[in-house]
Amino acid sequence: MEILQSDVLQIRQPEDIVLVRTAVRKIAIASKLGLVDQTKLVTAASEIARNTLDYGLGGEVRVDMVRDARTGVRLTFTDEGPGIPDLERAMTDGWTSGKGMGLGLSGTRRLMDEFQIASKVGEGTTVTIAKWSR
Amino acid sequence: MEHIPILRMGEFLLITVQVDMHDRLAMKLQDDLTERIVRFGSRGVLIDISGLEIVDSFIGRMLGNIASVSRILDAETVVVGMQPAVAITLVELGLELPGIRTALSVERGMQILRREAELAGLEVLKDANMEEDGNPPE
Ligand SMILES: Nc1ncnc2c1ncn2[C@@H]1O[C@H](COP(=O)(O)OP(=O)(O)OP(=O)(O)O)[C@@H](O)[C@H]1O
Ligand SMILES: [Mg+2]
C-alpha cells in the first residue's frame, strides 16, 4: 500500500474535533469517495476524535491518503491515556463508562471498511480506520 | 461569544444550524433554547439541520436532549432537513433518535407544529412576525 499524502493533527480541545472533521472531509473528496462514504468517514472520525479527547486525555490523528487497488483514506488515532481494560465490552453497542450512548466504537466499526483497535491499560489507545473508494 | 441564533416566530422558535458546531457550542445552544422556551412560553421548536454535513452521537444526543427538555416544558420539537447521506450514516451508526419528530422541510415541520398547537386548543397566528432573538417587533 502506497501513502500518497499524510498529515498529523492534534486533538487537545473540542474545537480540534471540528478541524479533524474538516480535514478528513477534504481528503475524502480528494480520494474520490462518494458523498455517503465521505459522510460515514467524517462521522466516524468525529466519534473517534472525541473518544481520544474525552477518554484518551488528548492525542493526535494521522490522516493518510492511500492507494492499493483503489484510493482511500486511512486515519490513525493515538493517545497516551488510561487505555481500555476490556476491549470486547468497549466495543459492545450501548456500553459506556461515561454519559455517552456507547455507539462510537461499535458504530464506527460498522461505518468503516477497516477497523482496528489496540489498547494497553496505563499506556494508551490506537484506533485505525479506513474507507476505500468504490 | 459565538452562538447559534434562535428566531422567535409567534408561538414557535426556529433554529437554523449552518455551521459545523463544536461541542461547547452545541451545549450552549441547548441551554439558550431552554431559556427561550421558558421566557416566551413557546409551544414548539423547529430545528433546521439541512446545513449540517454530519450528525454524530454528540449532536444526536443534543437533539434528543432538546426534544426531552422541550417536552417537559410543554413544547414540541421537530427536526427538519436532514441530508440523505446523514440519515443513512445515522442508521448505520446505530443512532435512532428516539422521541425526535422529523420532517423533510421547514414548511412541513411548521405544519406539524401548528397542528399540534391547534390540537392543544391554542390560537396560532398564521402569519407570525419574525423577530430575532425575541426582541419586540417594531
Ligand atoms: N481512547 C480511549 N481511551 C480510553 N477509553 C476509551 C477510549 N475510547 C473509548 N474508550 C472507552 O470505551 C467506551 C465506549 O466508547 P464508545 O465511543 O463506543 O462510547 P461512548 O464514547 O461512551 O459513547 P458515545 O460515543 O456513543 O457518545 C467509552 O465509554 C470508554 O470507556
Ligand atoms: Mg465515543
Side-chain angles (χ1 to χ4, degrees):
Chain A
M1 184 164 56
E2 191 188 348
I3 299 177
L4 300 176
Q5 193 184 318
S6 193
D7 207 357
V8 174
L9 289 114
Q10 299 300 310
I11 304 168
R12 302 281 165 209
Q13 50 183 2
E15 287 82 350
D16 292 339
I17 302 176
V18 177
L19 298 180
V20 169
R21 292 201 287 252
T22 308
V24 170
R25 171 75 66 177
K26 234 169 107 186
I27 207 105
I29 292 170
S31 307
K32 306 224 166 6
L33 264 63
L35 179 61
V36 173
D37 285 343
Q38 288 171 33
T39 306
K40 289 180 180 181
L41 182 67
V42 175
T43 305
S46 187
E47 293 298 334
I48 306 302
R50 185 173 293 102
N51 282 353
T52 299
L53 183 65
D54 289 351
Y55 303 112
L57 312 174
E60 60 180 40
V61 57
R62 207 177 77 217
V63 181
D64 297 323
M65 191 202 281
V66 288
R67 183 165 60 197
D68 212 340
R70 296 162 292 172
T71 54
V73 180
R74 186 181 59 192
L75 307 174
T76 310
F77 296 83
T78 41
D79 67 63
E80 294 174 355
I84 303 174
D86 186 341
L87 267 183
E88 202 177 316
R89 187 178 59 175
M91 289 299 307
T92 308
D93 259 345
W95 191 84
T96 177
S97 65
K99 296 180 292 185
M101 291 189 286
L103 288 174
L105 289 175
S106 51
T108 293
R109 179 157 63 177
R110 282 190 291 272
L111 291 172
M112 293 295 95
D113 294 328
E114 287 170 32
F115 178 97
Q116 281 156 13
I117 184 165
S119 190
K120 209 159 178 198
V121 172
E123 286 181 23
T125 301
T126 302
V127 178
T128 307
I129 58 178
K131 194 86 188 161
W132 296 99
S133 62
R134 287 168 203 287
Chain B
M1 192 181 160
E2 66 180 326
H3 70 287
I4 310 275
I6 300 172
L7 288 175
R8 184 178 169 202
M9 282 179 74
E11 310 264 16
F12 307 128
L13 297 174
L14 175 64
I15 297 138
T16 307
V17 184
Q18 272 157 334
V19 295
D20 190 348
M21 291 184 288
H22 58 74
D23 296 1
R24 277 199 293 267
L25 191 54
M27 296 298 289
K28 183 162 191 305
L29 172 60
Q30 206 174 303
D31 292 348
D32 288 352
L33 187 58
T34 308
E35 187 265 327
R36 280 329 132 81
I37 294 171
V38 173
R39 190 184 338 155
F40 300 125
S42 304
R43 302 308 307 258
V45 177
L46 190 129
I47 307 176
D48 181 358
I49 60 164
S50 57
L52 276 190
E53 293 186 332
I54 68 145
V55 171
D56 63 7
S57 64
F58 191 88
I59 300 292
R61 194 161 72 228
M62 178 202 77
L63 293 173
N65 286 348
I66 287 176
S68 310
V69 173
S70 303
R71 196 168 302 123
I72 292 168
L73 299 172
D74 201 18
E76 191 72 25
T77 303
V78 180
V79 172
V80 305
M82 186 183 292
Q83 295 180 13
V86 172
I88 292 169
T89 301
L90 270 183
V91 170
E92 206 162 311
L93 188 65
L95 211 71
E96 277 148 28
L97 304 183
I100 300 180
R101 296 194 72 161
T102 55
L104 283 180
S105 63
V106 171
E107 194 90 310
R108 282 164 66 171
M110 285 306 289
Q111 273 172 17
I112 292 175
L113 290 181
R114 288 211 185 88
R115 204 186 319 127
E116 290 291 329
E118 271 161 26
L119 282 178
L122 275 165
E123 285 257 25
V124 181
L125 297 171
K126 279 237 164 68
D127 284 306
N129 287 331
M130 278 241 199
E131 317 156 20
E132 221 237 289
D133 266 6
N135 298 320
E138 300 297 313

PDB file of all heavy atoms in Angstrom, chain A residues 6-33:
ATOM      1  N   SER A   6       0.109  12.652   3.591  1.00  0.00           N
ATOM      2  CA  SER A   6      -0.015  12.377   5.021  1.00  0.00           C
ATOM      3  C   SER A   6       0.030  13.678   5.819  1.00  0.00           C
ATOM      4  O   SER A   6       0.730  14.614   5.447  1.00  0.00           O
ATOM      5  CB  SER A   6       1.130  11.458   5.444  1.00  0.00           C
ATOM      6  OG  SER A   6       0.871  10.950   6.722  1.00  0.00           O
ATOM      7  N   ASP A   7      -0.745  13.700   6.901  1.00  0.00           N
ATOM      8  CA  ASP A   7      -0.841  14.914   7.697  1.00  0.00           C
ATOM      9  C   ASP A   7      -1.145  14.503   9.137  1.00  0.00           C
ATOM     10  O   ASP A   7      -1.844  13.523   9.353  1.00  0.00           O
ATOM     11  CB  ASP A   7      -1.996  15.759   7.136  1.00  0.00           C
ATOM     12  CG  ASP A   7      -1.799  17.238   7.409  1.00  0.00           C
ATOM     13  OD1 ASP A   7      -0.802  17.585   8.068  1.00  0.00           O
ATOM     14  OD2 ASP A   7      -2.643  18.024   6.958  1.00  0.00           O
ATOM     15  N   VAL A   8      -0.623  15.234  10.112  1.00  0.00           N
ATOM     16  CA  VAL A   8      -0.913  14.924  11.511  1.00  0.00           C
ATOM     17  C   VAL A   8      -1.628  16.104  12.160  1.00  0.00           C
ATOM     18  O   VAL A   8      -1.199  17.246  12.003  1.00  0.00           O
ATOM     19  CB  VAL A   8       0.384  14.587  12.291  1.00  0.00           C
ATOM     20  CG1 VAL A   8       0.081  14.400  13.773  1.00  0.00           C
ATOM     21  CG2 VAL A   8       1.041  13.345  11.730  1.00  0.00           C
ATOM     22  N   LEU A   9      -2.744  15.806  12.855  1.00  0.00           N
ATOM     23  CA  LEU A   9      -3.481  16.855  13.552  1.00  0.00           C
ATOM     24  C   LEU A   9      -3.558  16.543  15.040  1.00  0.00           C
ATOM     25  O   LEU A   9      -3.767  15.390  15.429  1.00  0.00           O
ATOM     26  CB  LEU A   9      -4.907  16.959  13.005  1.00  0.00           C
ATOM     27  CG  LEU A   9      -5.061  17.525  11.605  1.00  0.00           C
ATOM     28  CD1 LEU A   9      -5.582  16.464  10.670  1.00  0.00           C
ATOM     29  CD2 LEU A   9      -6.010  18.694  11.630  1.00  0.00           C
ATOM     30  N   GLN A  10      -3.419  17.577  15.845  1.00  0.00           N
ATOM     31  CA  GLN A  10      -3.513  17.422  17.291  1.00  0.00           C
ATOM     32  C   GLN A  10      -4.977  17.433  17.732  1.00  0.00           C
ATOM     33  O   GLN A  10      -5.805  18.121  17.129  1.00  0.00           O
ATOM     34  CB  GLN A  10      -2.771  18.563  18.007  1.00  0.00           C
ATOM     35  CG  GLN A  10      -1.284  18.621  17.690  1.00  0.00           C
ATOM     36  CD  GLN A  10      -0.570  17.349  18.087  1.00  0.00           C
ATOM     37  OE1 GLN A  10      -0.720  16.869  19.213  1.00  0.00           O
ATOM     38  NE2 GLN A  10       0.191  16.767  17.159  1.00  0.00           N
ATOM     39  N   ILE A  11      -5.278  16.682  18.779  1.00  0.00           N
ATOM     40  CA  ILE A  11      -6.632  16.676  19.347  1.00  0.00           C
ATOM     41  C   ILE A  11      -6.505  17.020  20.824  1.00  0.00           C
ATOM     42  O   ILE A  11      -6.218  16.155  21.652  1.00  0.00           O
ATOM     43  CB  ILE A  11      -7.300  15.295  19.159  1.00  0.00           C
ATOM     44  CG1 ILE A  11      -7.321  14.911  17.672  1.00  0.00           C
ATOM     45  CG2 ILE A  11      -8.722  15.299  19.725  1.00  0.00           C
ATOM     46  CD1 ILE A  11      -7.693  13.457  17.427  1.00  0.00           C
ATOM     47  N   ARG A  12      -6.661  18.311  21.137  1.00  0.00           N
ATOM     48  CA  ARG A  12      -6.433  18.784  22.509  1.00  0.00           C
ATOM     49  C   ARG A  12      -7.657  19.466  23.110  1.00  0.00           C
ATOM     50  O   ARG A  12      -7.746  19.636  24.318  1.00  0.00           O
ATOM     51  CB  ARG A  12      -5.264  19.777  22.544  1.00  0.00           C
ATOM     52  CG  ARG A  12      -3.954  19.236  22.032  1.00  0.00           C
ATOM     53  CD  ARG A  12      -3.256  18.366  23.085  1.00  0.00           C
ATOM     54  NE  ARG A  12      -2.209  17.582  22.443  1.00  0.00           N
ATOM     55  CZ  ARG A  12      -1.805  16.383  22.867  1.00  0.00           C
ATOM     56  NH1 ARG A  12      -2.358  15.827  23.937  1.00  0.00           N
ATOM     57  NH2 ARG A  12      -0.869  15.733  22.229  1.00  0.00           N
ATOM     58  N   GLN A  13      -8.557  19.952  22.261  1.00  0.00           N
ATOM     59  CA  GLN A  13      -9.736  20.675  22.751  1.00  0.00           C
ATOM     60  C   GLN A  13     -10.901  20.447  21.781  1.00  0.00           C
ATOM     61  O   GLN A  13     -10.675  20.022  20.646  1.00  0.00           O
ATOM     62  CB  GLN A  13      -9.430  22.162  22.888  1.00  0.00           C
ATOM     63  CG  GLN A  13      -8.788  22.744  21.641  1.00  0.00           C
ATOM     64  CD  GLN A  13      -8.414  24.205  21.824  1.00  0.00           C
ATOM     65  OE1 GLN A  13      -8.596  24.774  22.885  1.00  0.00           O
ATOM     66  NE2 GLN A  13      -7.915  24.816  20.776  1.00  0.00           N
ATOM     67  N   PRO A  14     -12.148  20.714  22.226  1.00  0.00           N
ATOM     68  CA  PRO A  14     -13.315  20.403  21.390  1.00  0.00           C
ATOM     69  C   PRO A  14     -13.235  20.997  19.984  1.00  0.00           C
ATOM     70  O   PRO A  14     -13.663  20.363  19.023  1.00  0.00           O
ATOM     71  CB  PRO A  14     -14.482  21.004  22.165  1.00  0.00           C
ATOM     72  CG  PRO A  14     -14.036  21.052  23.571  1.00  0.00           C
ATOM     73  CD  PRO A  14     -12.549  21.242  23.549  1.00  0.00           C
ATOM     74  N   GLU A  15     -12.687  22.200  19.860  1.00  0.00           N
ATOM     75  CA  GLU A  15     -12.574  22.833  18.536  1.00  0.00           C
ATOM     76  C   GLU A  15     -11.738  21.974  17.584  1.00  0.00           C
ATOM     77  O   GLU A  15     -11.939  22.011  16.372  1.00  0.00           O
ATOM     78  CB  GLU A  15     -11.946  24.233  18.647  1.00  0.00           C
ATOM     79  CG  GLU A  15     -12.871  25.284  19.236  1.00  0.00           C
ATOM     80  CD  GLU A  15     -12.911  25.260  20.769  1.00  0.00           C
ATOM     81  OE1 GLU A  15     -12.361  24.305  21.373  1.00  0.00           O
ATOM     82  OE2 GLU A  15     -13.491  26.191  21.359  1.00  0.00           O
ATOM     83  N   ASP A  16     -10.775  21.225  18.139  1.00  0.00           N
ATOM     84  CA  ASP A  16      -9.916  20.390  17.285  1.00  0.00           C
ATOM     85  C   ASP A  16     -10.725  19.298  16.583  1.00  0.00           C
ATOM     86  O   ASP A  16     -10.369  18.860  15.493  1.00  0.00           O
ATOM     87  CB  ASP A  16      -8.792  19.751  18.109  1.00  0.00           C
ATOM     88  CG  ASP A  16      -7.795  20.794  18.610  1.00  0.00           C
ATOM     89  OD1 ASP A  16      -7.742  21.884  18.010  1.00  0.00           O
ATOM     90  OD2 ASP A  16      -7.082  20.515  19.598  1.00  0.00           O
ATOM     91  N   ILE A  17     -11.815  18.849  17.212  1.00  0.00           N
ATOM     92  CA  ILE A  17     -12.648  17.813  16.581  1.00  0.00           C
ATOM     93  C   ILE A  17     -13.258  18.370  15.297  1.00  0.00           C
ATOM     94  O   ILE A  17     -13.341  17.676  14.283  1.00  0.00           O
ATOM     95  CB  ILE A  17     -13.754  17.322  17.554  1.00  0.00           C
ATOM     96  CG1 ILE A  17     -13.114  16.766  18.834  1.00  0.00           C
ATOM     97  CG2 ILE A  17     -14.627  16.264  16.891  1.00  0.00           C
ATOM     98  CD1 ILE A  17     -14.111  16.351  19.890  1.00  0.00           C
ATOM     99  N   VAL A  18     -13.641  19.647  15.320  1.00  0.00           N
ATOM    100  CA  VAL A  18     -14.172  20.289  14.113  1.00  0.00           C
ATOM    101  C   VAL A  18     -13.088  20.355  13.034  1.00  0.00           C
ATOM    102  O   VAL A  18     -13.345  20.081  11.856  1.00  0.00           O
ATOM    103  CB  VAL A  18     -14.704  21.712  14.433  1.00  0.00           C
ATOM    104  CG1 VAL A  18     -15.181  22.400  13.163  1.00  0.00           C
ATOM    105  CG2 VAL A  18     -15.829  21.640  15.456  1.00  0.00           C
ATOM    106  N   LEU A  19     -11.859  20.678  13.438  1.00  0.00           N
ATOM    107  CA  LEU A  19     -10.754  20.753  12.470  1.00  0.00           C
ATOM    108  C   LEU A  19     -10.469  19.378  11.865  1.00  0.00           C
ATOM    109  O   LEU A  19     -10.185  19.258  10.672  1.00  0.00           O
ATOM    110  CB  LEU A  19      -9.491  21.316  13.138  1.00  0.00           C
ATOM    111  CG  LEU A  19      -9.616  22.747  13.681  1.00  0.00           C
ATOM    112  CD1 LEU A  19      -8.313  23.204  14.330  1.00  0.00           C
ATOM    113  CD2 LEU A  19     -10.011  23.715  12.566  1.00  0.00           C
ATOM    114  N   VAL A  20     -10.565  18.337  12.688  1.00  0.00           N
ATOM    115  CA  VAL A  20     -10.368  16.969  12.181  1.00  0.00           C
ATOM    116  C   VAL A  20     -11.451  16.651  11.154  1.00  0.00           C
ATOM    117  O   VAL A  20     -11.170  16.147  10.062  1.00  0.00           O
ATOM    118  CB  VAL A  20     -10.390  15.932  13.332  1.00  0.00           C
ATOM    119  CG1 VAL A  20     -10.454  14.500  12.797  1.00  0.00           C
ATOM    120  CG2 VAL A  20      -9.166  16.105  14.231  1.00  0.00           C
ATOM    121  N   ARG A  21     -12.706  16.965  11.489  1.00  0.00           N
ATOM    122  CA  ARG A  21     -13.806  16.706  10.546  1.00  0.00           C
ATOM    123  C   ARG A  21     -13.546  17.402   9.211  1.00  0.00           C
ATOM    124  O   ARG A  21     -13.727  16.813   8.143  1.00  0.00           O
ATOM    125  CB  ARG A  21     -15.139  17.199  11.128  1.00  0.00           C
ATOM    126  CG  ARG A  21     -15.619  16.398  12.330  1.00  0.00           C
ATOM    127  CD  ARG A  21     -17.126  16.542  12.557  1.00  0.00           C
ATOM    128  NE  ARG A  21     -17.544  17.817  13.083  1.00  0.00           N
ATOM    129  CZ  ARG A  21     -17.974  18.024  14.340  1.00  0.00           C
ATOM    130  NH1 ARG A  21     -18.016  17.024  15.198  1.00  0.00           N
ATOM    131  NH2 ARG A  21     -18.373  19.214  14.727  1.00  0.00           N
ATOM    132  N   THR A  22     -13.130  18.681   9.280  1.00  0.00           N
ATOM    133  CA  THR A  22     -12.887  19.453   8.057  1.00  0.00           C
ATOM    134  C   THR A  22     -11.750  18.842   7.231  1.00  0.00           C
ATOM    135  O   THR A  22     -11.873  18.674   6.014  1.00  0.00           O
ATOM    136  CB  THR A  22     -12.538  20.911   8.417  1.00  0.00           C
ATOM    137  OG1 THR A  22     -13.557  21.406   9.294  1.00  0.00           O
ATOM    138  CG2 THR A  22     -12.464  21.788   7.185  1.00  0.00           C
ATOM    139  N   ALA A  23     -10.665  18.468   7.889  1.00  0.00           N
ATOM    140  CA  ALA A  23      -9.505  17.904   7.182  1.00  0.00           C
ATOM    141  C   ALA A  23      -9.854  16.555   6.554  1.00  0.00           C
ATOM    142  O   ALA A  23      -9.450  16.254   5.425  1.00  0.00           O
ATOM    143  CB  ALA A  23      -8.332  17.751   8.156  1.00  0.00           C
ATOM    144  N   VAL A  24     -10.631  15.744   7.286  1.00  0.00           N
ATOM    145  CA  VAL A  24     -10.999  14.420   6.780  1.00  0.00           C
ATOM    146  C   VAL A  24     -11.945  14.557   5.585  1.00  0.00           C
ATOM    147  O   VAL A  24     -11.819  13.832   4.596  1.00  0.00           O
ATOM    148  CB  VAL A  24     -11.618  13.556   7.897  1.00  0.00           C
ATOM    149  CG1 VAL A  24     -12.214  12.274   7.338  1.00  0.00           C
ATOM    150  CG2 VAL A  24     -10.565  13.230   8.953  1.00  0.00           C
ATOM    151  N   ARG A  25     -12.858  15.507   5.655  1.00  0.00           N
ATOM    152  CA  ARG A  25     -13.766  15.741   4.524  1.00  0.00           C
ATOM    153  C   ARG A  25     -12.956  16.085   3.277  1.00  0.00           C
ATOM    154  O   ARG A  25     -13.193  15.544   2.205  1.00  0.00           O
ATOM    155  CB  ARG A  25     -14.729  16.885   4.873  1.00  0.00           C
ATOM    156  CG  ARG A  25     -15.593  17.377   3.722  1.00  0.00           C
ATOM    157  CD  ARG A  25     -16.730  16.440   3.357  1.00  0.00           C
ATOM    158  NE  ARG A  25     -17.713  16.350   4.425  1.00  0.00           N
ATOM    159  CZ  ARG A  25     -18.837  15.638   4.348  1.00  0.00           C
ATOM    160  NH1 ARG A  25     -19.116  14.963   3.253  1.00  0.00           N
ATOM    161  NH2 ARG A  25     -19.671  15.589   5.369  1.00  0.00           N
ATOM    162  N   LYS A  26     -11.971  16.964   3.438  1.00  0.00           N
ATOM    163  CA  LYS A  26     -11.156  17.404   2.304  1.00  0.00           C
ATOM    164  C   LYS A  26     -10.425  16.227   1.656  1.00  0.00           C
ATOM    165  O   LYS A  26     -10.447  16.056   0.427  1.00  0.00           O
ATOM    166  CB  LYS A  26     -10.129  18.436   2.806  1.00  0.00           C
ATOM    167  CG  LYS A  26     -10.188  19.742   2.024  1.00  0.00           C
ATOM    168  CD  LYS A  26      -9.378  20.816   2.687  1.00  0.00           C
ATOM    169  CE  LYS A  26      -8.088  21.124   1.925  1.00  0.00           C
ATOM    170  NZ  LYS A  26      -7.241  22.080   2.652  1.00  0.00           N
ATOM    171  N   ILE A  27      -9.825  15.403   2.484  1.00  0.00           N
ATOM    172  CA  ILE A  27      -9.037  14.297   1.962  1.00  0.00           C
ATOM    173  C   ILE A  27      -9.954  13.211   1.370  1.00  0.00           C
ATOM    174  O   ILE A  27      -9.594  12.538   0.410  1.00  0.00           O
ATOM    175  CB  ILE A  27      -8.089  13.744   3.060  1.00  0.00           C
ATOM    176  CG1 ILE A  27      -6.860  13.096   2.428  1.00  0.00           C
ATOM    177  CG2 ILE A  27      -8.747  12.792   3.964  1.00  0.00           C
ATOM    178  CD1 ILE A  27      -5.651  13.956   2.564  1.00  0.00           C
ATOM    179  N   ALA A  28     -11.161  13.082   1.932  1.00  0.00           N
ATOM    180  CA  ALA A  28     -12.123  12.106   1.406  1.00  0.00           C
ATOM    181  C   ALA A  28     -12.574  12.501  -0.001  1.00  0.00           C
ATOM    182  O   ALA A  28     -12.712  11.650  -0.883  1.00  0.00           O
ATOM    183  CB  ALA A  28     -13.330  11.996   2.338  1.00  0.00           C
ATOM    184  N   ILE A  29     -12.760  13.794  -0.197  1.00  0.00           N
ATOM    185  CA  ILE A  29     -13.148  14.292  -1.527  1.00  0.00           C
ATOM    186  C   ILE A  29     -11.991  14.065  -2.505  1.00  0.00           C
ATOM    187  O   ILE A  29     -12.186  13.536  -3.603  1.00  0.00           O
ATOM    188  CB  ILE A  29     -13.531  15.791  -1.461  1.00  0.00           C
ATOM    189  CG1 ILE A  29     -14.828  15.964  -0.667  1.00  0.00           C
ATOM    190  CG2 ILE A  29     -13.691  16.380  -2.865  1.00  0.00           C
ATOM    191  CD1 ILE A  29     -15.181  17.408  -0.336  1.00  0.00           C
ATOM    192  N   ALA A  30     -10.787  14.406  -2.072  1.00  0.00           N
ATOM    193  CA  ALA A  30      -9.607  14.237  -2.941  1.00  0.00           C
ATOM    194  C   ALA A  30      -9.379  12.764  -3.283  1.00  0.00           C
ATOM    195  O   ALA A  30      -8.851  12.438  -4.347  1.00  0.00           O
ATOM    196  CB  ALA A  30      -8.376  14.825  -2.258  1.00  0.00           C
ATOM    197  N   SER A  31      -9.786  11.868  -2.384  1.00  0.00           N
ATOM    198  CA  SER A  31      -9.613  10.428  -2.619  1.00  0.00           C
ATOM    199  C   SER A  31     -10.757   9.827  -3.414  1.00  0.00           C
ATOM    200  O   SER A  31     -10.840   8.622  -3.577  1.00  0.00           O
ATOM    201  CB  SER A  31      -9.494   9.690  -1.284  1.00  0.00           C
ATOM    202  OG  SER A  31      -8.495  10.259  -0.505  1.00  0.00           O
ATOM    203  N   LYS A  32     -11.685  10.686  -3.848  1.00  0.00           N
ATOM    204  CA  LYS A  32     -12.790  10.277  -4.708  1.00  0.00           C
ATOM    205  C   LYS A  32     -13.806   9.364  -4.019  1.00  0.00           C
ATOM    206  O   LYS A  32     -14.442   8.516  -4.650  1.00  0.00           O
ATOM    207  CB  LYS A  32     -12.273   9.603  -5.989  1.00  0.00           C
ATOM    208  CG  LYS A  32     -11.266  10.446  -6.778  1.00  0.00           C
ATOM    209  CD  LYS A  32     -11.574  10.406  -8.248  1.00  0.00           C
ATOM    210  CE  LYS A  32     -10.872  11.435  -9.103  1.00  0.00           C
ATOM    211  NZ  LYS A  32      -9.855  12.292  -8.500  1.00  0.00           N
ATOM    212  N   LEU A  33     -13.976   9.532  -2.744  1.00  0.00           N
ATOM    213  CA  LEU A  33     -15.055   8.827  -2.045  1.00  0.00           C
ATOM    214  C   LEU A  33     -16.383   9.496  -2.419  1.00  0.00           C
ATOM    215  O   LEU A  33     -16.438  10.715  -2.566  1.00  0.00           O
ATOM    216  CB  LEU A  33     -14.863   8.906  -0.526  1.00  0.00           C
ATOM    217  CG  LEU A  33     -14.180   7.725   0.164  1.00  0.00           C
ATOM    218  CD1 LEU A  33     -12.754   7.573  -0.327  1.00  0.00           C
ATOM    219  CD2 LEU A  33     -14.175   7.924   1.667  1.00  0.00           C
TER     220      LEU A  33
END
